[in-house]
């Protein structure tokens, strides 16, 4: 009787039970389901390696490359960066633009390779309420030169700053994802340094006028 009980318990243990088979969540997903799994985490940027794991293939495999190509042709994803390679999920409400807003994904894109990045110049000025210039690009400050990114109809232009880590920034926590933006004072200083890129000193004067009543002289 004792032997029977032992063997019965062994048979019903997690290692031997049929319940130990991979759950459905662990099984390979179809490509569109893989996108939904990523988006369910309020994330829109992903690497081929992550997509490959979800569909049960190596990220460099031909199957994954073909699947990503098909999804791109269908307008469901778009290339965000070539180095390192990453893609953006395009939700239905953003199909017209071909990419989600930059603030939904820029932190995921840069936080590992450019941890001190921030939304800068006229894009930062716009965030702080100065919208004299409806620029058709997002301006981002980084520590090393990067080529302009054009996911969908978006244009992301990168500017460089050697001592970027010392720039005062605010982390915006509202919305889909957090992102970094220079403070008002830091934005004005950057605009002065890059005045040739933003329309000259008159453009900066208009931004400064918008900021004048809200600048904190102690920290910006």
């Amino acid at each position: 009787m004792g032997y029977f009980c032992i063997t019965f318990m062994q048979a019903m243990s997690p290692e031997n039970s049929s319940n130990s088979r991979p759950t459905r969540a662990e099984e390979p997903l179809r490509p569109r389901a893989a996108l939904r799994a990523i988006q369910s985490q309020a994330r829109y940027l992903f690497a081929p390696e992550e997509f490959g794991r979800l569909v049960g293939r190596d990220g460099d495999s031909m199957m994954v490359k073909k699947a990503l190509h098909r999804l791109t042709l269908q307008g469901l994803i778009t290339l965000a960066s070539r180095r390192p390679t990453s893609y953006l999920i395009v939700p239905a409400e953003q199909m017209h633009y071909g990419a989600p807003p930059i603030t939904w994904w820029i932190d995921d894109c840069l936080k590992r390779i450019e941890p001190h990045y921030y939304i800068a110049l006229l894009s930062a000025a716009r965030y702080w309420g100065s919208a004299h210039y409806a620029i058709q690009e997002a301006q981002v400050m980084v520590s090393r030169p990067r080529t302009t990114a054009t996911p969908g109809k978006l244009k992301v232009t990168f500017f460089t700053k050697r001592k970027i880590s010392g720039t005062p920034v605010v982390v915006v926590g509202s919305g889909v994802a957090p992102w970094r933006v220079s403070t008002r004072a830091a934005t004005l200083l950057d605009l002065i340094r890059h005045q040739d890129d933003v329309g000259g000193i008159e453009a900066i004067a208009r931004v400064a006028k918008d900021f004048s009543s809200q600048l904190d002289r102690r920290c910006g």
Side-chain angles (χ1 to χ4, degrees):
M1 182 68 179
Y3 174 78
F4 173 79
C5 291
I6 292 173
T7 54
F8 177 78
M9 293 301 292
Q10 288 175 339
M12 294 304 294
S13 67
E15 291 78 11
N16 296 310
S17 171
S18 60
N19 291 331
S20 65
R21 292 179 299 177
T23 64
R24 189 166 187 79
E26 296 171 333
E27 294 175 355
L29 301 175
R30 298 184 66 83
R32 291 196 181 201
L35 297 185
R36 290 194 294 271
I38 297 169
Q39 193 174 350
S40 69
Q41 303 172 46
R43 292 172 45 231
Y44 292 84
L45 184 131
F46 66 92
E49 292 76 15
E50 179 183 10
F51 181 83
R53 287 195 299 271
L54 290 171
V55 299
R57 294 289 190 276
D58 186 272
D60 289 330
S61 69
M62 187 56 64
M63 178 271 183
V64 165
K65 291 178 180 179
K66 288 182 177 180
L68 292 173
H69 181 65
R70 285 194 300 271
L71 292 170
T72 301
L73 292 178
Q74 293 165 3
L76 298 176
I77 64 173
T78 188
L79 186 68
S81 171
R82 294 187 182 277
R83 295 183 181 179
T85 302
S86 59
Y87 289 85
L88 289 169
I89 298 171
V90 184
E93 65 272 22
Q94 304 295 335
M95 284 287 187
H96 175 72
Y97 300 101
I102 183 175
T103 56
W104 291 16
W105 54 269
I106 193 65
D107 193 70
D108 280 342
C109 184
L110 294 179
K111 63 185 176 183
R112 291 182 179 82
I113 56 177
E114 284 283 355
H116 301 293
Y117 86 90
Y118 56 89
I119 302 296
L121 302 173
L122 293 178
S123 294
R126 188 174 185 85
Y127 170 75
W128 291 116
S130 180
H132 291 290
Y133 307 96
I135 59 172
Q136 302 300 312
E137 65 179 7
Q139 298 175 335
V140 180
M141 196 70 69
V142 290
S143 65
R144 294 174 295 177
R146 294 181 63 86
T147 57
T148 298
T150 55
K153 295 182 179 180
L154 300 181
K155 180 181 179 182
V156 184
T157 303
F158 296 98
F159 296 82
T160 57
K161 188 176 189 178
R162 285 194 304 170
K163 298 182 179 180
I164 191 172
S165 61
T167 303
V169 301
V170 171
V171 177
V172 180
S174 58
V176 173
W179 50 282
R180 296 161 55 87
V181 59
S182 54
T183 63
R184 292 182 180 88
T187 298
L188 283 176
L189 291 175
D190 282 343
L191 286 169
I192 292 170
R193 294 188 187 100
H194 293 273
Q195 57 184 283
D196 292 340
D197 299 309
V198 298
I201 199 67
E202 291 185 2
I204 299 169
R206 293 188 183 94
V207 175
K209 183 178 181 181
D210 291 338
F211 286 3
S212 60
S213 64
Q214 298 172 307
L215 284 174
D216 184 335
R217 295 184 180 180
R218 293 171 299 174
C219 62

